[in-house]
Amino acid sequence: MQPRKILLLLFFIQIFCWTAPNLTLAQYAEGVAKVHYAPSRTYDILHMKLEISLDEIRKTVYGKVAYTLTPLNNNLKEIVLDCVDLTVTKTYLADGTNLAFENSNVKLKIKLPQAKNSDDRITLTIEYSGSPKMGLYFIQPDKSYPHKPYQIWSQGEDEDNRYWYPGYDFPNDRFTSEIIATVKNNFTVISNGKLVSVTEDKETGSKTFHWKEDVPHVNYLNSIIVGEYQEIKEDFDGVPVLYYVPKGQEGLAKHAFSKTMDMLKFFSDKIGVKYPYEKYAQTTITDFMWGGMENISATTLTERTLHDRIAHWDVKSEGLVAHELAHQWWGDLLTCKDWSQAWLNEGFATYFEALFIQHDLGEEEFQLDMQGSKESYLDEDKNDYRRPIVYNLYAEPFDLFDSHTYAKGSWVLHMLRSFLGDELFWKGIKHYCNKHREQCVDSHDFQKAMEEATGQNLDWFFSQWIYKAGYPEFEVKWSWEDSSKTVVVSISQNQKTDSLTPIFQMPVEIAFTTNPGRTVKIINIQNKEQEFYLPLDSRPLMVEFDPENKILKTVDFERSTEELLYQLQNSPRSWERSEACQVLAKRGGEKNILQTLEKVLSEDKFYAVRQAAAKALGEIKLKEAKAILKKGLSDPDSRVRRSVISALAKFKDEPDVAEILYKQFKSDSSYYARAEALISLGKTKDKKVYSWILEGLKYDSHNDVIRASVFEALAQLDDSKGIGLVKEYSAYGKPLAVRNSAIWALGKLAKGKESVMASKTYSKQEIREFLENLLWDPLFNTRRAVVGALGDLGDPEAIAELEKFVERELQYRLKSDARRAIRKIREGKKGEVDLRGLKDKVAELEEENKGMKTRLEVLEREVSEKK
Ligand SMILES: [Zn+2]
């Protein structure tokens, strides 16, 4: 599954962020978290044959599912299946013998006529019907959205296929499958495995698609998509590679999918197991709640990933496409045997996505991707909770699909590769995949396979990174002893240690650059505090701690401005140049810093370093910095222009900044840069920009990013004049991305106010009740935005409705979001300090202070120069 990308794409749906440190996930999901184990099994399913007929208007399914299975022990008298809110009409054996059954609307218990033994094989069939509330989704147009297409699609992970057919719905049993679906004849059906046949019944105007997957897999990977699609076809070494996009959107497919064939080859070669299924299909769907889902041989993707030539400057689909394809091995061919091991699916898919980027675009883009993962993990650890990667205390399986599983999981693989080296790492990965293909696995299986292949004992590694939590928080200092020609490096680990968080042990590289050249030394970190004495020819010009970023860590590294400027101008590593920008931003506006940043902004060959320079200039906040930034508005890369636009918002007190931003909004060719310009206009808090911001409503763009940014901008402007318009755009019928952004803005605009004045006055209560009504919205992503907005609004009166929402809502992610919102409101209610607000204020004051300090420094310099 890929929830992270969807967040990037949605752009405005915010994850809550407030300080709740030192909690574990169990404490976080207080009162609802419990210990989970995979269920014990009594039978082994060998094959599933599902025949269904779907009605896209009535939203119903009529089905017949036949299981061929064998008891695991003797004397099996009953078969229990997961089956939620389906009407079961009949169950029978292959010879026609009817079977008695009990259907509790959660479990279906089928009585066998006589006890069966482990050498028996049984085929039993269940006939059923229903209107699924989950698992299978019926998309259709209505009066408010007349252009929405008819689609039917399933989403099985985590445990939702039980809502549309009875089955064994846990990932510790694997079987082959057939899905035979009858739909209206204008539709195409996409499912798992090979397309055996398509037959048409002219009399009923229907078509029947028969798909068959011969590679045994777990239940959540079964899928179906029904819709009006255009098929685009390629061939990978005899395997059909299919892309299904809505009719009329074929032209957009190339931007999203053009690297699929390279990825198939890269993963097949690296893993040492060729793509193992009958075909590979990627289908885009409407109203998907995730970015993508790796259903076996048939990935589902959000249609938001389709984009045009202009959006392609800012939007890349390759990460999402590579992530879901990597899952075809990691998740589908080998599957985590219970959710506590989900990193074996998601951490792997996230890392292999990064590995494809490394292969395709090189080391700099790879480092950037890993940096993004690192930030998302550190953010979750700092603001939400800390947990070991393998962890079975949770409320819903979905709770584990977090940044610990995805981002930290990816980093763990990266560290393992760094410690073993490429040769042993890939030898181990090949062995693991070949040894456990078509099996359900846990972390011990992975460790053991890596040890078998490499001869290395990896207990120390798995113990600290998989079964314990946290990361090393290093403080590094160095000094030079000229008499003995020795560099002294002191390293301490400052993380708070407890039963979860250890002192970490690992080898680390340190590099020293002196006039004659660069020397890399490896030191062994074992203790909380250590000093290393290293002989060197002369005092180093630059010292690099873990220069290749092999370790997941934070570093507080004391260095002189001179040394940082050297690093920024001379390091061949783009990530080190970016890091130097970050640190230098805090050193104020000394002339040589500004000059160097100017040079970097205009000349650095890697766009992310130019972005870092722009950000640093925004933080320095001097007139000269603004003048330099203005030049960056003509950077050829729209991503750099976006950073420049965002940095310019920091100069909100300068009279011409609003005009500069407005001009950029009018003239920039990138949708995303124009959206950023509107948001920056909002951040100026200048009342005159209100009407300029509203101009954004006139422009079409990819996923409506410009219109959506109007509401983000209004929330930033915090001008209550906009509230009527924001409410209007929150209504059902407005374009989805715009609507969600408006809902989000509503919570922000009304926060902390008893009433909001506009042409009419809206009381806080009125806005809260308006949002509460939207909790019943049919769309997943809208309910998500509403829950977020209520959390932001912070009105304790909303808790009762949010609690009812948690009770009635079926989608785990929304339940989990609503629990967070309640927690957030309660924390405010208890009169506790709003740490986040306070932190913002402190940061603002620090920034002001820094601005004053740099202005003072410049004045002093000017005065001394005049002397
Ligand atoms: Zn995934």
Side-chain angles (χ1 to χ4, degrees):
M1 242 191 320
Q2 179 50 291
R4 182 164 62 85
K5 283 293 182 297
I6 201 173
L7 287 175
L8 291 177
L9 285 163
L10 281 178
F11 201 62
F12 291 108
I13 297 206
Q14 302 285 309
I15 281 199
F16 305 119
C17 176
W18 70 97
T19 304
N22 306 321
L23 289 175
T24 64
L25 177 59
Q27 289 162 322
Y28 197 75
E30 195 181 350
V32 279
K34 51 177 201 244
V35 175
H36 289 77
Y37 297 101
S40 298
R41 296 157 60 210
T42 58
Y43 54 86
D44 179 26
I45 296 180
L46 306 170
H47 185 71
M48 175 190 97
K49 184 175 179 184
L50 172 65
E51 292 173 75
I52 47 173
S53 155
L54 296 164
D55 186 329
E56 77 285 359
I57 310 272
R58 292 201 188 89
K59 304 185 178 183
T60 52
V61 52
Y62 290 85
K64 185 164 97 169
V65 61
Y67 288 105
T68 304
L69 53 86
T70 180
L72 286 169
N73 298 303
N74 291 341
N75 204 25
L76 182 71
K77 292 173 183 156
E78 182 181 71
I79 304 286
V80 182
L81 295 168
D82 300 299
C83 173
V84 182
D85 293 339
L86 295 169
T87 305
V88 173
T89 45
K90 202 176 170 188
T91 64
Y92 47 92
L93 291 173
D95 64 4
T97 310
N98 275 325
L99 302 174
F101 64 88
E102 275 171 37
N103 182 6
S104 70
N105 287 329
V106 177
K107 295 279 182 191
L108 175 65
K109 291 184 182 170
I110 301 169
K111 313 266 177 235
L112 297 171
Q114 63 264 349
K116 298 284 181 182
N117 293 335
S118 59
D119 53 1
D120 288 328
R121 183 176 281 212
I122 317 159
T123 296
L124 57 86
T125 302
I126 302 138
E127 290 185 8
Y128 71 97
S129 63
S131 306
K133 291 184 194 136
M134 290 258 284
L136 191 68
Y137 300 84
F138 294 79
I139 309 301
Q140 44 178 245
D142 61 19
K143 268 189 208 149
S144 303
Y145 295 98
H147 302 298
K148 195 171 267 200
Y150 280 100
Q151 283 178 4
I152 307 168
W153 45 260
S154 66
Q155 169 58 34
E157 196 178 20
D158 311 323
E159 299 173 1
D160 295 350
N161 276 342
R162 63 184 70 184
Y163 287 82
W164 63 285
Y165 64 84
Y168 180 82
D169 205 6
F170 198 85
N172 62 349
D173 188 13
R174 308 177 76 92
F175 47 88
T176 54
S177 64
E178 276 170 273
I179 295 186
I180 302 161
T182 301
V183 295
K184 221 168 259 167
N185 62 8
N186 53 320
F187 292 126
T188 301
V189 177
I190 299 116
S191 184
N192 319 104
K194 183 185 158 86
L195 183 60
V196 178
S197 65
V198 183
T199 49
E200 187 165 0
D201 183 336
K202 291 239 158 72
E203 239 169 68
T204 56
S206 65
K207 266 188 187 168
T208 300
F209 290 74
H210 181 172
W211 290 89
K212 188 163 186 283
E213 179 53 74
D214 285 328
V215 178
H217 54 275
V218 301
N219 191 57
Y220 75 76
L221 295 170
N222 283 323
S223 69
I224 186 167
I225 298 175
V226 181
E228 291 188 287
Y229 283 106
Q230 183 67 44
E231 181 190 273
I232 303 167
K233 197 170 179 179
E234 293 190 280
D235 176 272
F236 173 70
D237 207 4
V239 178
V241 178
L242 310 164
Y243 313 95
Y244 292 96
V245 295
K247 283 191 172 151
Q249 301 207 31
E250 302 86 316
L252 303 182
K254 64 172 184 290
H255 298 300
F257 300 127
S258 64
K259 291 187 178 168
T260 305
M261 303 294 277
D262 294 347
M263 293 172 193
L264 279 159
K265 181 164 175 14
F266 175 72
F267 291 147
S268 296
D269 290 350
K270 280 299 200 187
I271 299 169
V273 172
K274 195 194 158 195
Y275 177 80
Y277 312 106
E278 298 85 347
K279 62 110 190 345
Y280 186 54
Q282 295 177 89
T283 310
T284 63
I285 60 168
T286 298
D287 287 348
F288 197 27
M289 61 284 263
W290 308 124
M293 175 63 210
E294 67 274 16
N295 299 306
I296 191 161
S297 80
T299 281
T300 305
L301 296 168
T302 168
E303 66 183 3
R304 291 183 294 271
T305 205
L306 294 172
H307 57 274
D308 63 16
R309 182 185 57 83
I310 295 174
H312 198 58
W313 300 329
D314 298 275
V315 177
K316 306 284 175 236
S317 275
E318 284 83 9
L320 175 63
V321 170
H323 180 104
E324 303 310 334
L325 179 59
H327 268 311
Q328 298 296 326
W329 288 264
W330 314 121
D332 295 6
L333 195 61
L334 288 76
T335 311
C336 63
K337 78 170 188 197
D338 70 53
W339 303 117
S340 70
Q341 307 283 341
W343 83 282
L344 296 172
N345 295 6
E346 298 300 348
F348 272 64
T350 306
Y351 190 52
F352 275 68
E353 166 191 343
L355 287 170
F356 178 75
I357 290 172
Q358 188 176 35
H359 161 79
D360 184 44
L361 301 171
E363 186 64 21
E364 296 189 312
E365 290 281 358
F366 169 75
Q367 288 278 351
L368 204 56
D369 189 85
M370 293 305 289
Q371 178 67 19
S373 288
K374 179 174 160 180
E375 282 164 14
S376 94
Y377 162 64
L378 292 179
D379 181 67
E380 184 170 273
D381 179 85
K382 190 170 154 221
N383 294 311
D384 288 348
Y385 51 80
R386 173 169 292 186
R387 70 170 178 89
I389 285 186
V390 171
Y391 196 61
N392 68 354
L393 262 167
Y394 53 86
E396 317 278 357
F398 177 76
D399 294 344
L400 297 175
F401 286 72
D402 60 3
S403 289
H404 284 73
T405 290
Y406 286 77
K408 188 178 185 186
S410 167
W411 264 96
V412 166
L413 288 174
H414 183 54
M415 289 189 281
L416 190 58
R417 178 181 159 212
S418 302
F419 295 135
L420 291 172
D422 268 11
E423 194 187 332
L424 291 190
F425 176 75
W426 287 111
K427 193 177 164 201
I429 289 289
K430 274 179 196 171
H431 177 59
Y432 170 57
C433 189
N434 277 294
K435 182 182 177 192
H436 292 289
R437 62 182 295 169
E438 299 177 24
Q439 290 178 15
C440 298
V441 284
D442 61 25
S443 300
H444 297 291
D445 295 322
F446 176 51
Q447 181 182 340
K448 191 152 184 264
M450 293 306 282
E451 291 181 340
E452 284 166 355
T454 64
Q456 296 289 310
N457 182 322
L458 296 170
D459 286 338
W460 67 278
F461 182 89
F462 278 75
S463 156
Q464 58 188 359
W465 290 111
I466 297 293
Y467 303 109
K468 289 200 175 269
Y471 51 90
E473 296 172 38
F474 290 116
E475 188 180 342
V476 181
K477 287 179 187 157
W478 70 270
S479 59
W480 174 246
E481 284 179 4
D482 202 45
S483 54
S484 57
K485 300 272 179 231
T486 305
V487 62
V488 184
V489 182
S490 28
I491 298 169
S492 57
Q493 294 189 50
N494 292 345
Q495 68 273 17
K496 193 172 158 274
T497 53
D498 52 24
S499 59
L500 271 182
T501 311
I503 289 292
F504 288 81
Q505 303 189 346
M506 72 202 74
V508 181
E509 287 173 357
I510 305 190
F512 304 93
T513 302
T514 57
N515 274 323
R518 185 168 179 264
T519 320
V520 181
K521 312 235 179 201
I522 296 176
I523 55 171
N524 256 317
I525 294 193
Q526 303 277 347
N527 307 323
K528 181 167 169 50
E529 281 175 3
Q530 276 170 286
E531 262 189 4
F532 298 89
Y533 293 79
L534 305 156
L536 218 58
D537 50 57
S538 59
R539 183 189 166 84
L541 297 162
M542 175 168 79
V543 178
E544 301 157 85
F545 181 75
D546 185 26
E548 310 301 333
N549 269 340
K550 292 180 174 175
I551 294 154
L552 177 61
K553 63 187 183 307
T554 57
V555 189
D556 179 0
F557 189 2
E558 200 180 285
R559 281 156 300 176
S560 68
T561 298
E562 195 188 359
E563 198 184 342
L564 286 162
L565 285 170
Y566 182 91
Q567 179 175 323
L568 178 54
Q569 290 166 296
N570 296 287
S571 172
R573 291 164 189 75
S574 57
W575 52 98
E576 288 187 341
R577 300 199 299 279
S578 297
E579 192 252 352
C581 289
Q582 252 174 47
V583 184
L584 286 168
K586 296 182 191 116
R587 303 270 164 109
E590 292 166 40
K591 211 169 197 171
N592 48 357
I593 294 181
L594 280 173
Q595 278 166 354
T596 312
L597 287 173
E598 177 171 21
K599 198 158 175 282
V600 170
L601 180 62
S602 62
E603 289 176 16
D604 200 287
K605 58 188 187 308
F606 192 53
Y607 74 92
V609 184
R610 305 204 298 281
Q611 288 183 304
K615 193 164 181 239
L617 286 161
E619 282 169 30
I620 289 173
K621 265 184 157 183
L622 281 172
K623 258 203 173 89
E624 293 125 300
K626 190 192 79 182
I628 299 168
L629 272 174
K630 263 174 74 180
K631 292 187 221 160
L633 287 171
S634 52
D635 194 284
D637 194 312
S638 57
R639 293 167 296 187
V640 179
R641 296 201 300 280
R642 281 158 62 191
S643 297
V644 171
I645 291 166
S646 165
L648 277 168
K650 302 266 184 183
F651 297 84
K652 57 178 190 276
D653 301 329
E654 301 276 337
D656 59 339
V657 162
E659 274 82 6
I660 296 169
L661 291 168
Y662 178 58
K663 209 175 130 210
Q664 195 69 19
F665 163 66
K666 297 293 271 187
S667 63
D668 206 292
S669 47
S670 147
Y671 304 134
Y672 285 81
R674 300 182 69 194
E676 195 71 58
L678 291 180
I679 295 165
S680 281
L681 273 173
K683 287 179 184 165
T684 64
K685 311 272 181 204
D686 185 340
K687 298 286 180 221
K688 77 171 175 234
V689 305
Y690 180 76
S691 62
W692 296 351
I693 290 173
L694 295 199
E695 281 184 38
L697 292 173
K698 291 193 291 200
Y699 297 97
D700 290 332
S701 57
H702 175 241
N703 288 339
D704 252 327
V705 64
I706 296 180
R707 279 192 197 97
S709 73
V710 167
F711 297 95
E712 159 90 3
L714 290 177
Q716 292 288 352
L717 186 63
D718 201 16
D719 182 347
S720 50
K721 200 160 57 171
I723 199 124
L725 186 80
V726 178
K727 251 186 100 184
E728 184 193 324
Y729 272 84
S730 302
Y732 190 76
K734 292 289 179 189
L736 189 63
V738 184
R739 195 176 166 222
N740 292 343
S741 174
I743 289 168
W744 176 81
L746 208 51
K748 295 266 177 208
L749 278 169
K751 185 185 179 174
K753 299 172 187 138
E754 276 317 306
S755 63
V756 185
M757 302 283 289
S759 53
K760 71 172 263 218
T761 303
Y762 297 91
S763 66
K764 186 176 182 177
Q765 181 186 346
E766 207 177 337
I767 289 169
R768 172 177 49 78
E769 284 171 0
F770 176 81
L771 286 170
E772 284 170 356
N773 281 333
L774 289 178
L775 283 172
W776 293 91
D777 197 271
L779 295 170
F780 175 96
N781 286 325
T782 301
R783 297 203 297 285
R784 183 140 196 253
V786 176
V787 169
L790 283 169
D792 278 339
L793 186 66
D795 184 350
E797 298 289 320
I799 290 176
E801 283 304 314
L802 281 167
E803 279 174 342
K804 283 186 215 158
F805 177 81
V806 172
E807 284 304 307
R808 72 169 180 264
E809 176 63 50
L810 294 171
Q811 296 286 351
Y812 319 117
R813 176 167 208 160
L814 299 181
K815 277 177 184 288
S816 159
D817 281 358
R819 281 192 202 111
R820 286 175 181 221
I822 292 168
R823 187 181 187 110
K824 184 178 177 179
I825 297 169
R826 286 220 170 103
E827 274 170 8
K829 189 186 167 192
K830 272 187 270 170
E832 287 172 6
V833 186
D834 178 354
L835 286 174
R836 194 181 176 205
L838 191 64
K839 257 164 54 187
D840 286 349
K841 279 202 182 74
V842 170
E844 218 170 273
L845 283 171
E846 270 176 357
E847 228 175 302
E848 295 279 313
N849 193 19
K850 201 167 64 198
M852 277 159 70
K853 192 170 161 248
T854 50
R855 281 185 186 90
L856 191 64
E857 278 165 7
V858 171
L859 276 173
E860 278 171 353
R861 202 170 62 217
E862 281 171 0
V863 169
S864 68
E865 276 166 10
K866 272 173 197 160
K867 271 181 195 164

